[in-house]
Amino acid sequence: MASSKVASIWRYPVKSMMGEELNACEITEQGLLGDRAYGIIDNQTGKLANAKNPQKWPNMFQYRANFIDPPQKDDAIPQVRITFPDGRSISSTDEDKNELLSNSFNRDVHLSTASSKDVQFEGYIPEEIEELDNKGTIFTRTSPKDTFFDIDMVHILTTSTINYLKRLAPESRIEARRFRPNIIIEVPDTEAFIENDWVGKTLTIGSVQLKISQETKRCVMTTLAQGVLPKDPNVLRTIVRKNAGSFGVYASVVKPGTVSIGDRIDIH
């Protein structure tokens, strides 16, 4: 692993919207500083809007979010700019933001920051993927306390796994952004689902230590259109058939610090 290094870093200021690529980022106990700092809440259900339920939120990936000023540790979360599918943009400080968001989503919603209150989100299990259980049903999960995350604080993917899936599904467009990772690790000279072997181990990146908690079980989000990437159920179908639905890993933060592109990685 001595030759492995950080290839790219991604942060998503608003849950389920397109995010921003970074050269470096501070990592706190709650993951990348500013990651999923905001979410869209459905006022009717109190649940978090997210692309896992495309029946209710079909266009989440057509929205883009970026911080106007970079977040600073121990400071309030800075304002975020949200760009709508039609190119208009709003700021999180605009008085009419919730009205504009509600009109755009065609549902009564408001923009929120994470709180200690339990927040739930829904996911849809697609009917067209034969290997999945409970096809065509909706499930409900609760985000970790004080976050808008799905499971754990940092989502990690390797170039090895991305390249392996490209070979397994040559007719599909396999790009990292389909899977919304925080950190992509370049692992040279390997082509496999190598993250499977990392569960329970500790990843050291400079001064940062991340404990790999579990494999990332993929969902319908990986099949959705994103920017120029087309809708493609074959992406998830291949992951289910070839790796029991896992693609990448989640990690908790053992030791905070700063991660930069090019940082060397050690795993033990």
Side-chain angles (χ1 to χ4, degrees):
M1 286 292 295
S3 57
S4 297
K5 63 183 181 181
V6 175
S8 59
I9 303 167
W10 287 87
R11 173 173 64 200
Y12 309 90
V14 180
K15 171 75 172 178
S16 275
M17 293 186 183
M18 294 290 95
E20 47 192 16
E21 191 169 11
L22 307 170
N23 291 320
C25 188
E26 187 155 356
I27 293 187
T28 72
E29 287 86 352
Q30 290 194 320
L32 276 69
L33 187 62
D35 191 38
R36 277 88 169 184
Y38 291 88
I40 305 290
I41 303 293
D42 184 342
N43 291 330
Q44 184 182 355
T45 64
K47 291 178 179 171
L48 181 60
N50 83 105
K52 282 183 170 55
N53 188 2
Q55 294 183 315
K56 189 177 284 187
W57 310 103
N59 302 317
M60 287 297 304
F61 285 161
Q62 294 176 28
Y63 294 78
R64 184 170 298 279
N66 64 283
F67 285 112
I68 293 170
D69 296 305
Q72 303 293 332
K73 197 167 185 291
D74 302 324
D75 286 356
I77 299 167
Q79 60 181 315
V80 71
R81 180 186 294 109
I82 295 173
T83 303
F84 287 42
D86 63 6
R88 289 179 302 147
S89 67
I90 59 166
S91 164
S92 53
T93 55
D94 291 348
E95 284 187 17
D96 59 350
K97 63 181 180 295
N98 292 327
E99 181 185 351
L100 292 169
L101 285 163
S102 295
N103 290 340
S104 183
F105 280 109
N106 207 23
R107 295 187 73 86
D108 184 19
V109 300
H110 71 274
L111 182 68
S112 175
T113 51
S115 70
S116 56
K117 201 167 59 175
D118 274 357
V119 62
Q120 294 185 319
F121 59 89
E122 295 175 333
Y124 170 71
I125 301 174
E127 285 186 63
E128 63 265 40
I129 297 175
E130 306 78 23
E131 294 84 355
L132 294 175
D133 295 330
N134 305 312
K135 294 186 292 294
T137 62
I138 303 288
F139 63 83
T140 301
R141 299 275 188 275
T142 301
S143 290
K145 185 172 157 45
D146 299 330
T147 78
F148 287 141
F149 295 140
D150 294 343
I151 305 252
D152 216 333
M153 304 303 168
V154 182
H155 178 205
I156 298 167
L157 196 55
T158 66
T159 54
S160 162
T161 288
I162 295 167
N163 292 335
Y164 191 48
L165 186 61
K166 284 180 180 176
R167 196 156 65 79
L168 294 173
E171 67 281 17
S172 294
R173 284 191 60 180
I174 306 298
E175 294 185 21
R177 58 184 154 161
R178 269 205 193 273
F179 309 99
R180 299 174 65 77
N182 292 125
I183 299 173
I184 300 175
I185 296 172
E186 182 183 328
V187 182
D189 309 320
T190 312
E191 208 173 78
F193 296 116
I194 59 170
E195 297 94 327
N196 295 0
D197 301 328
W198 292 2
V199 176
K201 295 183 178 178
T202 299
L203 208 83
T204 301
I205 313 172
S207 62
V208 175
Q209 288 188 333
L210 305 174
K211 179 72 177 281
I212 307 299
S213 54
Q214 66 181 80
E215 296 172 12
T216 307
K217 292 292 183 185
R218 307 317 307 209
C219 67
V220 69
M221 288 174 71
T222 58
T223 71
L224 304 178
Q226 283 190 45
V228 297
L229 297 179
K231 180 179 177 180
D232 186 356
N234 186 57
V235 175
L236 181 56
R237 187 178 291 120
T238 305
I239 294 169
V240 170
R241 286 178 179 168
K242 301 296 186 180
N243 199 39
S246 293
F247 197 78
V249 284
Y250 284 117
S252 58
V253 180
V254 176
K255 191 176 174 192
T258 301
V259 168
S260 304
I261 288 178
D263 282 354
R264 298 289 171 182
I265 297 199
D266 180 48
I267 188 158
H268 54 274

